[in-house]
Amino acid sequence: MKTLIVVGAQWGDEGKGKIVDVLSEQFDIVARYQGGHNAGHTVKVGDHTFVLHLIPSGIIHPGKVAVIGHGLVIDPAALLREMEDLRRLGIEVTPERLRISERAHLILPYHRAMEVVIERQRGARKVGTTMRGIGPAYVTKVGRHGIRVGDLLDPERLREKIEFNVAYANRFLQAFDAELFDADTLYASYGEYGRQLAPYVTDTIAYLQAAVAKGQSILFEGAQGTMLDIDFGTYPYVTSSTAVAAGAAIGTGVPVKHLTAILGVMKAYTTRVGGGPFPTELHDDVGTLLRERGVEFGASTGRPRRCGWFDSFAVRYAVRVNGFDALALTKLDVLDVLDEIKICIGYRYRGERLSSYPFDAQVLEHCEPIYESMPGWKTPTLGLTRLEELPRRARDYIDRLSELVGCPISLISTGGRRRETILVPGSTLPRLLGMEP
């Protein structure tokens, strides 16, 4: 039995979907453990591009089981659309291949309306959320009055919970002259969602624990990234869930002792979407070049991503917080045209070099990145599949990143497609998983 957790090492959008797709062949089950349809995991297979928001990327591989754990918040309308989109692309989506936790909480329309109000009230300090109701859904979960997937299967309980929550939400929304909601209308629509989703609803805790007992292998797919984690990220400019590796146990019910390896995913540069501090952000032609060459636009929202140099100080923090066994490096080819490449090796704040990552977002906003420079390789790396094919300077850059963050790089993505991948011979990941390079 083997398990592997795949976690973003930056501010999300690191290319986790592609990495999970590459690795899924080695596993029986692929499970998401947190987030919602604010995630956008893009996978390219042949001429098809799949963008998954809720369903684990492993669903694309025939015979693999995809599990949506209880750590997620689910918009059932969005989930049903995603299921139908996959079917239209020839992917089998059946109750045997997709299991949805009965304990996962639901997003309702009033959550989205509340998020709009909250973001508007923040003014210049708005978080820059996807406005999909993720945060307010987690608030009602923690507030102990959320509605769960299993409630969809009990009409009487569903009605009672919707009536309570609509009254609660309407009082909040009315205070800001926002749209109000009708409990009967929501009950009718969510009752129908329940009928459609009923065959997929599962006690996923029992299912995954039985899989572990049988020796089946599980790949845990994280969403967002370490620097967006609710506790470890750049609060309050974060997501509302536990995006770090520890979230895999919390969000699926698989005991920590059965989690055997952790893979971090990082870009060869840095991006961020929405508000919040970003010490290495570039507002010049290089930033524009990274955005254009990297096609840095959100898979969920289409928003342009903020781009900057690789931040080893942030990733080193992510390595320590998660305990990564190895790293996957993505989008190396985006840097192919640069004469010079900078790497952030630390921060200064008020003239003093910081020894650890600051907790305060306002401190981060005033941090000055400390850079070192390396020469670019000025040679195409797109599509390369063997380490020895990479230019010497590209390998030097990879080695330097590994040294700075304190973790070996075992996998290198040289393009968006499954085959455009280098598995580093003799490195940590193939050794842990028994994979041949």
Side-chain angles (χ1 to χ4, degrees), residues 38 121-122 166-167 187 193 203 224 266 298 318-319 360 363 374 385 396 407 435:
N38 52 345
Q121 290 300 113
R122 288 191 175 110
V166 166
Y187 174 74
Y193 296 147
D203 180 349
Q224 289 82 49
M266 63 184 192
V319 169
D360 191 332
V363 169
M374 297 188 70
T385 57
D396 289 343
C407 188
M435 298 168 64

Side-chain angles (χ1 to χ4, degrees), residues 71-340:
L72 280 80
V73 289
I74 298 172
D75 182 327
L79 176 57
L80 288 164
R81 282 195 302 271
E82 190 167 321
M83 292 163 66
E84 190 54 39
D85 288 345
L86 287 170
R87 291 190 185 104
R88 280 198 293 268
L89 290 168
I91 303 300
E92 182 186 26
V93 184
T94 64
E96 292 72 35
R97 295 203 62 219
L98 176 63
R99 310 291 180 109
I100 304 167
S101 174
E102 61 194 358
R103 297 169 183 257
H105 280 248
L106 296 172
I107 298 171
L108 285 90
Y110 52 74
H111 289 128
R112 292 191 292 274
M114 293 168 80
E115 189 160 36
V116 170
V117 168
I118 294 165
E119 280 285 86
R120 186 184 301 131
Q121 290 300 113
R122 288 191 175 110
R125 289 284 177 182
K126 66 181 181 180
V127 172
T129 75
T130 59
M131 296 292 190
R132 296 189 172 183
I134 311 294
Y138 276 112
V139 169
T140 56
K141 173 182 177 175
V142 176
R144 296 167 296 181
H145 57 94
I147 303 174
R148 300 193 288 181
V149 169
D151 296 327
L152 295 174
L153 311 185
D154 183 330
E156 185 175 338
R157 186 193 309 152
L158 178 63
R159 179 179 285 280
E160 177 185 336
K161 289 193 170 187
I162 285 179
E163 287 177 349
F164 174 87
N165 278 279
V166 166
Y168 175 89
N170 279 347
R171 284 194 293 273
F172 174 88
L173 295 168
Q174 190 171 27
F176 296 96
D177 297 319
E179 173 191 6
L180 304 183
F181 291 88
D182 177 67
D184 290 336
T185 301
L186 292 184
Y187 174 74
S189 59
Y190 275 70
E192 177 57 29
Y193 296 147
R195 285 186 283 277
Q196 294 183 57
L197 292 173
Y200 302 86
V201 178
T202 308
D203 180 349
T204 56
I205 297 174
Y207 173 78
L208 290 172
Q209 291 182 350
V212 168
K214 289 186 291 185
Q216 290 184 290
S217 53
I218 306 172
L219 179 60
F220 296 91
E221 180 176 2
Q224 289 82 49
T226 301
M227 306 308 295
L228 292 175
D229 181 271
I230 185 65
D231 291 302
F232 297 101
T234 51
Y235 189 89
Y237 302 97
V238 292
T239 194
S240 300
S241 58
T242 302
V244 295
I250 296 167
T252 65
V254 175
V256 172
K257 69 179 181 178
H258 295 308
L259 305 177
T260 53
I262 308 168
L263 177 69
V265 184
M266 63 184 192
K267 279 178 181 165
Y269 51 99
T270 310
T271 64
R272 179 167 197 167
V273 174
F278 184 0
T280 68
E281 184 173 11
L282 295 169
H283 300 281
D284 57 10
D285 291 343
V286 176
T288 301
L289 180 144
L290 294 175
R291 183 178 303 108
E292 292 176 351
R293 281 185 57 82
V295 194
E296 296 296 354
F297 299 90
S300 288
T301 64
R303 289 184 294 179
R305 296 177 185 139
R306 301 155 63 191
C307 297
W309 295 118
F310 185 85
D311 187 339
S312 73
F313 195 56
V315 175
R316 184 163 65 247
Y317 168 72
V319 169
R320 292 170 176 172
V321 164
N322 290 282
F324 294 142
D325 295 290
L327 286 162
L329 180 68
T330 65
K331 296 205 172 183
L332 181 70
D333 56 291
V334 173
L335 306 181
D336 287 349
V337 299
L338 294 174
D339 294 308
E340 178 189 35

Side-chain angles (χ1 to χ4, degrees), residues 336-353:
D336 287 349
V337 299
L338 294 174
D339 294 308
E340 178 189 35
I341 301 170
K342 293 184 179 181
I343 305 170
C344 172
I345 60 171
Y347 301 161
R348 281 196 190 88
Y349 177 65
R350 294 181 175 174
E352 296 291 328
R353 184 163 181 168

